[in-house]
């Protein structure tokens, strides 16, 4: 059964048609930072619409107020999560875990109705989103899938933080972190978004924090809904969660999850490679903005083109010969 699920994930990840849901998905939970109860419904959407968040608590004021497209240009804050907003000032935060699941499943079009300002945190990973969406079913649309192929390196740096988008085939993510903590320390990993094991290897990794930072987050109105049920908490030399870690390197795996979700705000699948070092939501958004600000750094192609090397990659291969 598990192998069949993985096979279906691979087919969806490399599918050429655009995809949406077969039927709505209902998700209830609390916001990680707001602590508020949230009711969210994912609805099928027609082709070429992308992912749109609709604040149902604001719907009476009109769609120009309630609707927010999930795109990199609509990111309004990257403080401990990714928050998107519209010109009317409506926002939805902590979108990255849901966006990561949608990216891994190859879902291009979706309407997300939500009655508050934050996506539910659930268990702190993308696993529950993944399970509920797969249970509802994913449907092919009668429209070709497009992709953004990276043509040349785009790099942003800020001190020891670095994020880069590079040419490549498929979409691979390499990440490294280095924390002054004996439990986390230095960790690195590389993952392939189109690998059928990506869901088990990456999307189950939970968000995390150091216990010493919790009061500071509370002081600025964040992490009000955080608990050991939805986050890994590290206290000096031990993990406070009774069941421990899901993976020895769960921390860097979650950073990959976040990066995939943040980069999904490109609006189309990316073809290439991402490298992150000590990066977070801000750096992920910065490198995506830098890519899209340089028309010579990318091209929009049919997703079928993902199987062919990018022009620059072909030239480099010829030069090497």
């Amino acid at each position: 059964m598990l192998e069949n699920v993985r096979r279906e994930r691979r087919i969806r990840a490399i599918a050429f048609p655009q995809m949406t849901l077969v039927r709505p998905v209902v998700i209830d939970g609390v916001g990680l930072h707001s602590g508020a109860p949230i009711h969210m419904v994912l609805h099928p959407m027609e082709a070429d619409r992308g992912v749109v968040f609709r604040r149902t608590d604001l719907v009476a004021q009109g769609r120009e107020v309630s609707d927010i497209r999930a795109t990199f240009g609509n990111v309004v804050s990257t403080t401990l999560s990714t928050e998107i907003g519209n010109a009317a000032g409506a926002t939805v935060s902590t979108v990255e875990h849901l966006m990561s699941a949608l990216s891994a499943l190859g879902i291009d079009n979706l309407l997300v109705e939500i009655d508050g300002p934050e996506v539910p945190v659930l268990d702190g990973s993308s696993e529950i989103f993944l399970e509920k969406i797969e249970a509802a079913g994913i449907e092919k649309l009668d429209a070709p899938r497009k992709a953004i192929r990276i043509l040349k390196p785009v790099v942003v740096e800020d001190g020891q933080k670095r994020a880069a988008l590079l040419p490549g085939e498929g979409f691979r993510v390499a990440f490294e972190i280095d924390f002054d903590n004996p439990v986390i320390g230095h960790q690195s990993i590389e993952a392939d978004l189109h690998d059928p094991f990506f869901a088990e290897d990456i999307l189950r990794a939970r968000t995390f924090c150091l216990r010493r930072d919790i009061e500071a987050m509370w002081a600025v109105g964040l992490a009000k809904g955080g608990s050991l049920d939805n986050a890994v908490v590290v206290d000096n030399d031990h993990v406070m969660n009774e069941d421990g870690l899901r993976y020895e390197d769960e921390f860097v795996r979650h950073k990959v999850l976040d990066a995939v979700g943040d980069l999904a705000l490109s609006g189309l699948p990316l073809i290439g490679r991402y490298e992150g070092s000590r990066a977070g939501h801000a750096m992920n958004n910065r490198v995506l903005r830098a890519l899209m600000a340089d028309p010579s750094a990318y091209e929009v192609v049919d997703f079928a083109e993902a199987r062919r090397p990018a022009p620059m990659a072909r030239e480099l291969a010829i030069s090497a010969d």
Side-chain angles (χ1 to χ4, degrees), residues 10 22 47 52-53 73 100 115 130 186 220 228 240 277 291 298:
R10 175 171 284 277
V22 172
V52 177
F53 285 78
S100 190
D115 69 354
L130 187 84
H186 179 269
V220 294
L228 295 178
M240 296 182 64
S277 178
L291 173 73
Y298 70 95

Side-chain angles (χ1 to χ4, degrees), residues 1-10 12 134 196 200:
M1 177 65 74
L2 184 56
E3 287 304 317
N4 289 338
V5 170
R6 288 171 177 159
R7 189 178 302 111
E8 286 299 316
R9 286 176 184 160
R10 175 171 284 277
R12 287 197 296 270
E134 288 189 321
E200 288 81 20

Side-chain angles (χ1 to χ4, degrees), residues 90-296:
T91 62
V92 176
S93 64
T94 323
V95 301
E96 60 272 12
H97 298 175
L98 174 60
M99 295 301 299
S100 190
L102 299 180
S103 185
L105 291 171
I107 295 177
D108 307 283
N109 305 285
L110 196 70
L111 174 62
V112 183
E113 291 191 334
I114 185 168
D115 69 354
E118 187 176 14
V119 172
V121 65
L122 303 179
D123 71 342
S125 77
S126 296
E127 183 177 31
I128 296 175
F129 294 124
L130 187 84
E131 291 175 347
K132 286 182 174 288
I133 290 169
E134 288 189 321
I138 299 172
E139 181 178 34
K140 295 179 181 179
L141 295 169
D142 187 20
R145 197 178 199 207
K146 300 291 185 180
I148 295 169
R149 180 159 62 185
I150 300 164
L151 299 178
K152 68 180 186 182
V154 176
V155 182
V156 296
E157 295 178 313
D158 183 1
Q160 293 183 309
K161 300 175 184 178
R162 178 180 184 272
L165 288 169
L166 311 168
E169 298 181 45
F171 189 64
R172 297 187 66 84
V173 177
F175 214 106
E176 67 171 350
I177 59 175
D178 196 353
F179 278 70
D180 183 19
N181 176 271
V183 177
I184 305 175
H186 179 269
Q187 298 182 359
S188 63
I189 194 171
E190 183 164 338
D192 182 347
L193 178 63
H194 299 160
D195 190 312
F197 289 90
F198 185 87
E200 288 81 20
D201 291 346
I202 301 298
L203 295 188
R204 294 188 66 249
R206 296 162 295 174
T207 192
F208 63 93
C209 71
L210 301 177
R211 184 179 181 181
R212 68 184 185 219
D213 295 334
I214 292 177
E215 288 191 5
M217 289 189 284
W218 285 344
V220 294
L222 299 174
K224 293 179 180 178
S227 72
L228 295 178
D229 293 326
N230 55 40
V232 176
V233 181
V234 178
D235 186 12
N236 295 322
D237 62 352
H238 69 281
V239 173
M240 296 182 64
N241 305 66
E242 185 176 347
D243 295 333
L245 298 174
R246 292 178 176 176
Y247 313 94
E248 184 177 349
D249 58 351
E250 185 168 2
F251 309 100
V252 73
R253 290 176 190 241
H254 186 80
K255 285 292 190 176
V256 171
L257 183 161
D258 279 346
V260 168
D262 290 340
L263 296 174
L265 296 176
S266 60
L268 293 173
L270 293 174
I271 301 170
R273 175 183 174 86
Y274 168 87
E275 293 180 355
S277 178
R278 304 188 185 194
H281 301 297
M283 295 294 287
N284 296 339
N285 187 248
R286 280 183 59 189
V287 75
L288 195 52
R289 286 177 182 263
L291 173 73
M292 303 308 291
D294 183 357
S296 70

